[in-house]
């Protein structure tokens, strides 16, 4: 993973089951928890997801942003937590 990418996740939208996550080995515990919290806030809005749906959530516990994208069938959500470049 690039140093800018701190967190990746794949979630099934229908029942919001997290199928896979990957966190950068250099990420501290609060950074991981921050991205997991941002993912939870995105999942609250994912019930209305449609094919190609996109969402962005600021990470409150760390300097970063979580970007989430629905697949072409709106069955899965892929999320990437990006560390702030500033």
């Amino acid at each position: 993973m690039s140093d800018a990418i701190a967190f990746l996740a794949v979630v099934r939208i229908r029942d919001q089951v997290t199928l896979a996550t990957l966190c950068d080995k250099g990420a501290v515990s609060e950074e991981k928890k921050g991205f997991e919290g941002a993912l939870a806030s995105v999942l609250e809005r994912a019930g209305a997801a449609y094919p190609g749906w996109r969402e962005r959530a600021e990470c409150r516990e760390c300097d970063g942003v979580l970007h989430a994208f629905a697949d072409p069938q709106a069955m899965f959500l892929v999320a990437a937590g990006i560390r702030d470049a500033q």
Side-chain angles (χ1 to χ4, degrees):
M1 282 196 313
S2 168
D3 288 338
I5 301 171
F7 180 80
L8 296 172
V10 178
V11 178
R12 188 171 46 225
I13 295 172
R14 178 186 62 212
D15 53 7
Q16 297 188 351
V17 170
T18 301
L19 302 174
T21 60
L22 177 67
C23 196
D24 181 31
K25 290 180 184 176
V28 294
S29 177
E30 22 178 85
E31 187 175 40
K32 182 180 177 187
K33 288 179 184 176
F35 283 118
E36 288 172 344
L39 179 61
S41 72
V42 166
L43 289 175
E44 290 175 5
R45 300 184 293 278
Y50 50 85
W53 181 79
R54 295 173 182 221
E55 187 66 43
R56 174 188 159 127
E58 299 288 327
C59 181
R60 294 185 182 138
E61 288 81 8
C62 62
D63 292 328
V65 177
L66 185 83
H67 297 274
F69 309 93
D71 74 324
Q73 291 81 33
M75 293 177 62
F76 301 99
L77 186 74
V78 177
I82 310 296
R83 289 185 178 105
D84 190 6
Q86 296 176 2

